[in-house]
Amino acid sequence: MSADNQQETVVCSDEYLAGFADAEGCFNISLKNEDTTRFGKTLDPVFHVTQHWKGKKVLEEFRRRLECGVIFEKHGQPGIWLFHVNRNHDLLEKVIPFFDEHKLITKGKDFEIFKEIMIALEQKKHSQKDAFKEFRKLAEAK
């Protein structure tokens, strides 16, 4: 079997994927202007992993294992690919449980803040002005 064929059949362990995300992943809560929302802003959560095209197979392994997300080439950066999850349901039901089970070292605090905000969003706590301000501070502090 050639090296190319071996790479096509590689299956990464969950621990490998967690370590990879600890190095190359990002748990992000963007604050976006949105005139139609109550406070004129919205919290936009996303988990993504970035990789050069040579490592795209690892991104495919994330998508296979988590059963969610999309993979696409990063705009304006040829050869750079992203595994991207932004659906709240997928973040809450697939991504967060995965990283609850497979602890992160470097990005552990970022993950915990991300998780706290995601749970609050699910519970609709962001519709209260004081709570929204607190989540905004947490998101900006990350």
Side-chain angles (χ1 to χ4, degrees):
M1 185 184 289
S2 73
D4 288 338
N5 289 340
Q6 288 176 350
Q7 186 178 9
E8 289 176 18
T9 59
V10 168
V11 175
C12 303
S13 70
D14 289 349
E15 291 77 16
Y16 179 87
L17 292 175
F20 201 90
D22 213 5
E24 302 293 336
C26 180
F27 298 93
N28 188 48
I29 308 277
S30 296
L31 188 62
K32 295 186 176 180
N33 293 327
E34 186 65 53
D35 294 335
T36 61
T37 63
R38 188 173 181 181
F39 306 119
K41 305 266 185 209
T42 186
L43 297 169
D44 187 29
V46 64
F47 166 68
H48 67 84
V49 181
T50 307
Q51 190 57 211
H52 187 267
W53 67 268
K54 291 179 184 177
K56 188 177 171 193
K57 292 285 182 196
V58 176
L59 302 181
E60 292 168 358
E61 194 61 20
F62 272 103
R63 185 173 58 191
R64 185 195 67 76
R65 169 59 183 86
L66 295 175
E67 299 178 331
C68 64
V70 295
I71 297 171
F72 58 89
E73 191 169 21
K74 191 171 183 180
H75 179 73
Q77 295 186 349
I80 304 299
W81 289 80
L82 290 171
F83 167 70
H84 182 92
V85 182
N86 66 346
R87 288 187 59 225
N88 285 5
H89 174 80
D90 291 338
L91 292 166
L92 285 163
E93 301 296 324
K94 298 174 181 181
V95 174
I96 288 174
F98 179 85
F99 290 107
D100 273 340
E101 185 175 338
H102 306 285
K103 301 295 183 200
L104 299 166
I105 298 169
T106 331
K107 294 190 170 91
K109 184 178 178 186
D110 288 348
F111 169 71
E112 291 301 325
I113 292 169
F114 182 85
K115 177 181 167 182
E116 179 182 346
I117 294 172
M118 287 302 305
I119 291 169
L121 289 172
E122 178 70 8
Q123 296 171 347
K124 308 286 187 218
K125 290 183 179 178
H126 63 291
S127 62
Q128 303 161 4
K129 190 169 188 170
D130 289 340
F132 185 85
K133 285 181 182 179
E134 182 62 29
F135 302 137
R136 181 179 175 172
K137 283 181 195 173
L138 283 172
E140 290 172 345
K142 263 181 42 49

